PDB file of all heavy atoms in Angstrom:
ATOM      1  N   VAL A   1      39.914   3.424  61.806  1.00  0.00           N
ATOM      2  CA  VAL A   1      38.860   4.100  61.048  1.00  0.00           C
ATOM      3  C   VAL A   1      38.840   5.582  61.376  1.00  0.00           C
ATOM      4  O   VAL A   1      38.841   6.407  60.497  1.00  0.00           O
ATOM      5  CB  VAL A   1      37.473   3.475  61.337  1.00  0.00           C
ATOM      6  CG1 VAL A   1      36.372   4.294  60.726  1.00  0.00           C
ATOM      7  CG2 VAL A   1      37.422   2.074  60.800  1.00  0.00           C
ATOM      8  N   SER A   2      38.775   5.904  62.649  1.00  0.00           N
ATOM      9  CA  SER A   2      38.697   7.297  63.043  1.00  0.00           C
ATOM     10  C   SER A   2      39.143   7.452  64.483  1.00  0.00           C
ATOM     11  O   SER A   2      38.683   6.738  65.360  1.00  0.00           O
ATOM     12  CB  SER A   2      37.258   7.791  62.898  1.00  0.00           C
ATOM     13  OG  SER A   2      37.096   9.021  63.552  1.00  0.00           O
ATOM     14  N   PRO A   3      40.038   8.436  64.758  1.00  0.00           N
ATOM     15  CA  PRO A   3      40.437   8.639  66.138  1.00  0.00           C
ATOM     16  C   PRO A   3      39.270   9.062  67.017  1.00  0.00           C
ATOM     17  O   PRO A   3      39.289   8.874  68.218  1.00  0.00           O
ATOM     18  CB  PRO A   3      41.484   9.750  66.056  1.00  0.00           C
ATOM     19  CG  PRO A   3      41.732  10.018  64.628  1.00  0.00           C
ATOM     20  CD  PRO A   3      40.726   9.264  63.823  1.00  0.00           C
ATOM     21  N   ALA A   4      38.219   9.609  66.433  1.00  0.00           N
ATOM     22  CA  ALA A   4      37.056  10.057  67.205  1.00  0.00           C
ATOM     23  C   ALA A   4      36.305   8.882  67.813  1.00  0.00           C
ATOM     24  O   ALA A   4      35.551   9.047  68.750  1.00  0.00           O
ATOM     25  CB  ALA A   4      36.122  10.868  66.317  1.00  0.00           C
ATOM     26  N   CYS A   5      36.505   7.687  67.269  1.00  0.00           N
ATOM     27  CA  CYS A   5      35.820   6.494  67.765  1.00  0.00           C
ATOM     28  C   CYS A   5      36.745   5.646  68.621  1.00  0.00           C
ATOM     29  O   CYS A   5      36.524   4.460  68.763  1.00  0.00           O
ATOM     30  CB  CYS A   5      35.330   5.652  66.580  1.00  0.00           C
ATOM     31  SG  CYS A   5      34.127   6.466  65.562  1.00  0.00           S
ATOM     32  N   ALA A   6      37.782   6.229  69.164  1.00  0.00           N
ATOM     33  CA  ALA A   6      38.834   5.472  69.856  1.00  0.00           C
ATOM     34  C   ALA A   6      38.305   4.643  71.004  1.00  0.00           C
ATOM     35  O   ALA A   6      37.255   4.903  71.562  1.00  0.00           O
ATOM     36  CB  ALA A   6      39.909   6.421  70.343  1.00  0.00           C
ATOM     37  N   ASN A   7      39.095   3.691  71.390  1.00  0.00           N
ATOM     38  CA  ASN A   7      38.905   2.677  72.423  1.00  0.00           C
ATOM     39  C   ASN A   7      37.663   2.830  73.290  1.00  0.00           C
ATOM     40  O   ASN A   7      37.570   3.680  74.144  1.00  0.00           O
ATOM     41  CB  ASN A   7      40.151   2.659  73.304  1.00  0.00           C
ATOM     42  CG  ASN A   7      40.155   1.465  74.223  1.00  0.00           C
ATOM     43  OD1 ASN A   7      39.348   0.559  74.095  1.00  0.00           O
ATOM     44  ND2 ASN A   7      41.082   1.472  75.134  1.00  0.00           N
ATOM     45  N   THR A   8      36.706   1.936  73.079  1.00  0.00           N
ATOM     46  CA  THR A   8      35.504   1.902  73.905  1.00  0.00           C
ATOM     47  C   THR A   8      35.592   0.797  74.935  1.00  0.00           C
ATOM     48  O   THR A   8      34.657   0.578  75.684  1.00  0.00           O
ATOM     49  CB  THR A   8      34.243   1.658  73.041  1.00  0.00           C
ATOM     50  OG1 THR A   8      34.360   0.373  72.467  1.00  0.00           O
ATOM     51  CG2 THR A   8      34.062   2.712  72.003  1.00  0.00           C
ATOM     52  N   GLY A   9      36.701   0.074  74.938  1.00  0.00           N
ATOM     53  CA  GLY A   9      36.858  -1.010  75.882  1.00  0.00           C
ATOM     54  C   GLY A   9      36.320  -2.339  75.370  1.00  0.00           C
ATOM     55  O   GLY A   9      36.477  -3.351  76.017  1.00  0.00           O
ATOM     56  N   LEU A  10      35.672  -2.351  74.201  1.00  0.00           N
ATOM     57  CA  LEU A  10      35.146  -3.600  73.659  1.00  0.00           C
ATOM     58  C   LEU A  10      36.242  -4.483  73.096  1.00  0.00           C
ATOM     59  O   LEU A  10      36.165  -5.697  73.161  1.00  0.00           O
ATOM     60  CB  LEU A  10      34.123  -3.317  72.553  1.00  0.00           C
ATOM     61  CG  LEU A  10      32.837  -2.649  72.985  1.00  0.00           C
ATOM     62  CD1 LEU A  10      31.979  -2.338  71.768  1.00  0.00           C
ATOM     63  CD2 LEU A  10      32.078  -3.542  73.942  1.00  0.00           C
ATOM     64  N   LEU A  11      37.262  -3.853  72.515  1.00  0.00           N
ATOM     65  CA  LEU A  11      38.311  -4.594  71.839  1.00  0.00           C
ATOM     66  C   LEU A  11      39.667  -4.041  72.243  1.00  0.00           C
ATOM     67  O   LEU A  11      39.756  -3.010  72.888  1.00  0.00           O
ATOM     68  CB  LEU A  11      38.141  -4.465  70.320  1.00  0.00           C
ATOM     69  CG  LEU A  11      36.810  -4.975  69.792  1.00  0.00           C
ATOM     70  CD1 LEU A  11      36.607  -4.543  68.364  1.00  0.00           C
ATOM     71  CD2 LEU A  11      36.753  -6.478  69.885  1.00  0.00           C
ATOM     72  N   SER A  12      40.719  -4.711  71.820  1.00  0.00           N
ATOM     73  CA  SER A  12      42.058  -4.239  72.135  1.00  0.00           C
ATOM     74  C   SER A  12      42.308  -2.887  71.488  1.00  0.00           C
ATOM     75  O   SER A  12      41.610  -2.477  70.572  1.00  0.00           O
ATOM     76  CB  SER A  12      43.089  -5.253  71.647  1.00  0.00           C
ATOM     77  OG  SER A  12      43.133  -5.250  70.235  1.00  0.00           O
ATOM     78  N   ASN A  13      43.335  -2.183  71.943  1.00  0.00           N
ATOM     79  CA  ASN A  13      43.640  -0.845  71.434  1.00  0.00           C
ATOM     80  C   ASN A  13      44.000  -0.832  69.957  1.00  0.00           C
ATOM     81  O   ASN A  13      43.973   0.211  69.331  1.00  0.00           O
ATOM     82  CB  ASN A  13      44.776  -0.226  72.251  1.00  0.00           C
ATOM     83  CG  ASN A  13      44.335   0.105  73.659  1.00  0.00           C
ATOM     84  OD1 ASN A  13      43.155   0.326  73.902  1.00  0.00           O
ATOM     85  ND2 ASN A  13      45.272   0.128  74.579  1.00  0.00           N
ATOM     86  N   SER A  14      44.357  -1.983  69.372  1.00  0.00           N
ATOM     87  CA  SER A  14      44.725  -2.016  67.962  1.00  0.00           C
ATOM     88  C   SER A  14      43.511  -2.024  67.045  1.00  0.00           C
ATOM     89  O   SER A  14      43.643  -1.906  65.849  1.00  0.00           O
ATOM     90  CB  SER A  14      45.588  -3.241  67.670  1.00  0.00           C
ATOM     91  OG  SER A  14      44.824  -4.417  67.855  1.00  0.00           O
ATOM     92  N   ILE A  15      42.313  -2.122  67.600  1.00  0.00           N
ATOM     93  CA  ILE A  15      41.087  -2.128  66.803  1.00  0.00           C
ATOM     94  C   ILE A  15      40.217  -0.978  67.267  1.00  0.00           C
ATOM     95  O   ILE A  15      40.005  -0.782  68.450  1.00  0.00           O
ATOM     96  CB  ILE A  15      40.319  -3.432  66.989  1.00  0.00           C
ATOM     97  CG1 ILE A  15      41.221  -4.596  66.639  1.00  0.00           C
ATOM     98  CG2 ILE A  15      39.041  -3.438  66.200  1.00  0.00           C
ATOM     99  CD1 ILE A  15      40.769  -5.498  65.597  1.00  0.00           C
ATOM    100  N   THR A  16      39.709  -0.219  66.315  1.00  0.00           N
ATOM    101  CA  THR A  16      38.873   0.923  66.639  1.00  0.00           C
ATOM    102  C   THR A  16      37.451   0.650  66.201  1.00  0.00           C
ATOM    103  O   THR A  16      37.217   0.362  65.034  1.00  0.00           O
ATOM    104  CB  THR A  16      39.389   2.182  65.908  1.00  0.00           C
ATOM    105  OG1 THR A  16      40.751   2.368  66.263  1.00  0.00           O
ATOM    106  CG2 THR A  16      38.588   3.408  66.285  1.00  0.00           C
ATOM    107  N   PRO A  17      36.465   0.699  67.106  1.00  0.00           N
ATOM    108  CA  PRO A  17      35.084   0.420  66.732  1.00  0.00           C
ATOM    109  C   PRO A  17      34.509   1.466  65.771  1.00  0.00           C
ATOM    110  O   PRO A  17      34.806   2.645  65.884  1.00  0.00           O
ATOM    111  CB  PRO A  17      34.330   0.458  68.058  1.00  0.00           C
ATOM    112  CG  PRO A  17      35.370   0.224  69.077  1.00  0.00           C
ATOM    113  CD  PRO A  17      36.619   0.847  68.526  1.00  0.00           C
ATOM    114  N   TYR A  18      33.732   1.002  64.846  1.00  0.00           N
ATOM    115  CA  TYR A  18      33.016   1.880  63.919  1.00  0.00           C
ATOM    116  C   TYR A  18      31.561   1.481  63.961  1.00  0.00           C
ATOM    117  O   TYR A  18      31.228   0.316  63.802  1.00  0.00           O
ATOM    118  CB  TYR A  18      33.560   1.713  62.493  1.00  0.00           C
ATOM    119  CG  TYR A  18      32.647   2.345  61.489  1.00  0.00           C
ATOM    120  CD1 TYR A  18      32.627   3.721  61.334  1.00  0.00           C
ATOM    121  CD2 TYR A  18      31.754   1.591  60.765  1.00  0.00           C
ATOM    122  CE1 TYR A  18      31.746   4.302  60.457  1.00  0.00           C
ATOM    123  CE2 TYR A  18      30.879   2.176  59.889  1.00  0.00           C
ATOM    124  CZ  TYR A  18      30.886   3.525  59.740  1.00  0.00           C
ATOM    125  OH  TYR A  18      30.015   4.103  58.878  1.00  0.00           O
ATOM    126  N   LEU A  19      30.672   2.438  64.180  1.00  0.00           N
ATOM    127  CA  LEU A  19      29.255   2.142  64.273  1.00  0.00           C
ATOM    128  C   LEU A  19      28.525   2.830  63.133  1.00  0.00           C
ATOM    129  O   LEU A  19      28.553   4.050  63.018  1.00  0.00           O
ATOM    130  CB  LEU A  19      28.713   2.629  65.622  1.00  0.00           C
ATOM    131  CG  LEU A  19      27.292   2.226  65.967  1.00  0.00           C
ATOM    132  CD1 LEU A  19      27.161   0.703  65.977  1.00  0.00           C
ATOM    133  CD2 LEU A  19      26.939   2.760  67.338  1.00  0.00           C
ATOM    134  N   SER A  20      27.893   2.062  62.276  1.00  0.00           N
ATOM    135  CA  SER A  20      27.151   2.602  61.151  1.00  0.00           C
ATOM    136  C   SER A  20      25.911   3.339  61.634  1.00  0.00           C
ATOM    137  O   SER A  20      25.291   2.949  62.600  1.00  0.00           O
ATOM    138  CB  SER A  20      26.732   1.455  60.225  1.00  0.00           C
ATOM    139  OG  SER A  20      25.930   1.923  59.181  1.00  0.00           O
ATOM    140  N   SER A  21      25.549   4.410  60.945  1.00  0.00           N
ATOM    141  CA  SER A  21      24.364   5.166  61.352  1.00  0.00           C
ATOM    142  C   SER A  21      23.497   5.480  60.142  1.00  0.00           C
ATOM    143  O   SER A  21      23.680   6.482  59.473  1.00  0.00           O
ATOM    144  CB  SER A  21      24.781   6.468  62.048  1.00  0.00           C
ATOM    145  OG  SER A  21      25.551   7.259  61.170  1.00  0.00           O
ATOM    146  N   GLY A  22      22.571   4.601  59.843  1.00  0.00           N
ATOM    147  CA  GLY A  22      21.618   4.838  58.762  1.00  0.00           C
ATOM    148  C   GLY A  22      22.246   4.704  57.389  1.00  0.00           C
ATOM    149  O   GLY A  22      22.200   3.649  56.795  1.00  0.00           O
ATOM    150  N   ASP A  23      22.802   5.804  56.854  1.00  0.00           N
ATOM    151  CA  ASP A  23      23.440   5.759  55.548  1.00  0.00           C
ATOM    152  C   ASP A  23      24.693   4.898  55.638  1.00  0.00           C
ATOM    153  O   ASP A  23      25.519   5.076  56.518  1.00  0.00           O
ATOM    154  CB  ASP A  23      23.817   7.163  55.081  1.00  0.00           C
ATOM    155  CG  ASP A  23      22.600   8.034  54.830  1.00  0.00           C
ATOM    156  OD1 ASP A  23      21.539   7.476  54.479  1.00  0.00           O
ATOM    157  OD2 ASP A  23      22.709   9.258  54.993  1.00  0.00           O
ATOM    158  N   GLU A  24      24.813   3.969  54.706  1.00  0.00           N
ATOM    159  CA  GLU A  24      25.957   3.076  54.764  1.00  0.00           C
ATOM    160  C   GLU A  24      27.240   3.817  54.440  1.00  0.00           C
ATOM    161  O   GLU A  24      27.319   4.558  53.471  1.00  0.00           O
ATOM    162  CB  GLU A  24      25.789   1.903  53.795  1.00  0.00           C
ATOM    163  CG  GLU A  24      26.946   0.936  53.879  1.00  0.00           C
ATOM    164  CD  GLU A  24      26.797  -0.261  52.961  1.00  0.00           C
ATOM    165  OE1 GLU A  24      26.080  -0.160  51.953  1.00  0.00           O
ATOM    166  OE2 GLU A  24      27.403  -1.285  53.260  1.00  0.00           O
ATOM    167  N   VAL A  25      28.236   3.628  55.256  1.00  0.00           N
ATOM    168  CA  VAL A  25      29.573   4.133  55.010  1.00  0.00           C
ATOM    169  C   VAL A  25      30.383   2.931  54.572  1.00  0.00           C
ATOM    170  O   VAL A  25      30.329   1.882  55.211  1.00  0.00           O
ATOM    171  CB  VAL A  25      30.175   4.755  56.296  1.00  0.00           C
ATOM    172  CG1 VAL A  25      31.611   5.150  56.082  1.00  0.00           C
ATOM    173  CG2 VAL A  25      29.332   5.920  56.756  1.00  0.00           C
ATOM    174  N   VAL A  26      31.124   3.071  53.476  1.00  0.00           N
ATOM    175  CA  VAL A  26      31.924   1.963  52.978  1.00  0.00           C
ATOM    176  C   VAL A  26      33.383   2.272  53.326  1.00  0.00           C
ATOM    177  O   VAL A  26      34.051   3.009  52.616  1.00  0.00           O
ATOM    178  CB  VAL A  26      31.744   1.771  51.458  1.00  0.00           C
ATOM    179  CG1 VAL A  26      32.599   0.618  50.950  1.00  0.00           C
ATOM    180  CG2 VAL A  26      30.271   1.526  51.128  1.00  0.00           C
ATOM    181  N   PRO A  27      33.864   1.702  54.434  1.00  0.00           N
ATOM    182  CA  PRO A  27      35.234   1.984  54.848  1.00  0.00           C
ATOM    183  C   PRO A  27      36.252   1.252  53.991  1.00  0.00           C
ATOM    184  O   PRO A  27      35.949   0.213  53.398  1.00  0.00           O
ATOM    185  CB  PRO A  27      35.274   1.477  56.285  1.00  0.00           C
ATOM    186  CG  PRO A  27      34.224   0.433  56.334  1.00  0.00           C
ATOM    187  CD  PRO A  27      33.162   0.841  55.370  1.00  0.00           C
ATOM    188  N   ASN A  28      37.453   1.798  53.918  1.00  0.00           N
ATOM    189  CA  ASN A  28      38.565   1.136  53.248  1.00  0.00           C
ATOM    190  C   ASN A  28      39.329   0.308  54.261  1.00  0.00           C
ATOM    191  O   ASN A  28      39.578   0.764  55.377  1.00  0.00           O
ATOM    192  CB  ASN A  28      39.522   2.155  52.627  1.00  0.00           C
ATOM    193  CG  ASN A  28      38.994   2.742  51.357  1.00  0.00           C
ATOM    194  OD1 ASN A  28      38.166   2.147  50.690  1.00  0.00           O
ATOM    195  ND2 ASN A  28      39.466   3.916  51.011  1.00  0.00           N
ATOM    196  N   VAL A  29      39.694  -0.893  53.880  1.00  0.00           N
ATOM    197  CA  VAL A  29      40.542  -1.754  54.696  1.00  0.00           C
ATOM    198  C   VAL A  29      41.641  -2.312  53.798  1.00  0.00           C
ATOM    199  O   VAL A  29      41.507  -2.312  52.575  1.00  0.00           O
ATOM    200  CB  VAL A  29      39.757  -2.910  55.344  1.00  0.00           C
ATOM    201  CG1 VAL A  29      38.734  -2.395  56.335  1.00  0.00           C
ATOM    202  CG2 VAL A  29      39.101  -3.783  54.312  1.00  0.00           C
ATOM    203  N   THR A  30      42.708  -2.764  54.420  1.00  0.00           N
ATOM    204  CA  THR A  30      43.795  -3.375  53.669  1.00  0.00           C
ATOM    205  C   THR A  30      43.932  -4.830  54.096  1.00  0.00           C
ATOM    206  O   THR A  30      43.555  -5.192  55.213  1.00  0.00           O
ATOM    207  CB  THR A  30      45.132  -2.641  53.908  1.00  0.00           C
ATOM    208  OG1 THR A  30      45.428  -2.684  55.291  1.00  0.00           O
ATOM    209  CG2 THR A  30      45.063  -1.203  53.439  1.00  0.00           C
ATOM    210  N   PRO A  31      44.462  -5.677  53.218  1.00  0.00           N
ATOM    211  CA  PRO A  31      44.708  -7.055  53.632  1.00  0.00           C
ATOM    212  C   PRO A  31      45.570  -7.066  54.896  1.00  0.00           C
ATOM    213  O   PRO A  31      46.525  -6.307  55.014  1.00  0.00           O
ATOM    214  CB  PRO A  31      45.452  -7.653  52.436  1.00  0.00           C
ATOM    215  CG  PRO A  31      44.959  -6.835  51.266  1.00  0.00           C
ATOM    216  CD  PRO A  31      44.814  -5.437  51.814  1.00  0.00           C
ATOM    217  N   GLY A  32      45.188  -7.903  55.837  1.00  0.00           N
ATOM    218  CA  GLY A  32      45.891  -7.979  57.112  1.00  0.00           C
ATOM    219  C   GLY A  32      45.204  -7.211  58.225  1.00  0.00           C
ATOM    220  O   GLY A  32      45.461  -7.469  59.403  1.00  0.00           O
ATOM    221  N   ASP A  33      44.320  -6.247  57.887  1.00  0.00           N
ATOM    222  CA  ASP A  33      43.571  -5.520  58.919  1.00  0.00           C
ATOM    223  C   ASP A  33      42.681  -6.502  59.667  1.00  0.00           C
ATOM    224  O   ASP A  33      42.178  -7.465  59.100  1.00  0.00           O
ATOM    225  CB  ASP A  33      42.664  -4.441  58.301  1.00  0.00           C
ATOM    226  CG  ASP A  33      43.402  -3.178  57.912  1.00  0.00           C
ATOM    227  OD1 ASP A  33      44.594  -3.034  58.273  1.00  0.00           O
ATOM    228  OD2 ASP A  33      42.778  -2.331  57.257  1.00  0.00           O
ATOM    229  N   GLN A  34      42.468  -6.239  60.943  1.00  0.00           N
ATOM    230  CA  GLN A  34      41.545  -7.034  61.726  1.00  0.00           C
ATOM    231  C   GLN A  34      40.225  -6.293  61.829  1.00  0.00           C
ATOM    232  O   GLN A  34      40.211  -5.079  61.986  1.00  0.00           O
ATOM    233  CB  GLN A  34      42.088  -7.274  63.129  1.00  0.00           C
ATOM    234  CG  GLN A  34      43.277  -8.190  63.159  1.00  0.00           C
ATOM    235  CD  GLN A  34      43.677  -8.516  64.577  1.00  0.00           C
ATOM    236  OE1 GLN A  34      42.877  -8.435  65.493  1.00  0.00           O
ATOM    237  NE2 GLN A  34      44.918  -8.898  64.755  1.00  0.00           N
ATOM    238  N   ILE A  35      39.133  -7.032  61.715  1.00  0.00           N
ATOM    239  CA  ILE A  35      37.808  -6.464  61.921  1.00  0.00           C
ATOM    240  C   ILE A  35      37.086  -7.327  62.949  1.00  0.00           C
ATOM    241  O   ILE A  35      37.397  -8.503  63.108  1.00  0.00           O
ATOM    242  CB  ILE A  35      36.976  -6.374  60.617  1.00  0.00           C
ATOM    243  CG1 ILE A  35      36.691  -7.761  60.046  1.00  0.00           C
ATOM    244  CG2 ILE A  35      37.662  -5.484  59.589  1.00  0.00           C
ATOM    245  CD1 ILE A  35      35.690  -7.765  58.911  1.00  0.00           C
TER     246      ILE A  35
END
């Protein structure tokens, strides 16, 4: 999603956490992506 949100230790390095803040952000994903 964004390098600015890189590895917080919650998940493996192949998954980047995204935290919504009030206004909904509709991210793009592709088939096969892990969430």
Side-chain angles (χ1 to χ4, degrees):
V1 171
S2 166
C5 297
N7 191 10
T8 64
L10 293 176
L11 301 168
S12 70
N13 291 334
S14 66
I15 304 238
T16 304
Y18 167 76
L19 188 59
S20 176
S21 60
D23 294 331
E24 182 178 24
V25 174
V26 179
N28 283 336
V29 295
T30 59
D33 281 351
Q34 291 186 23
I35 64 170

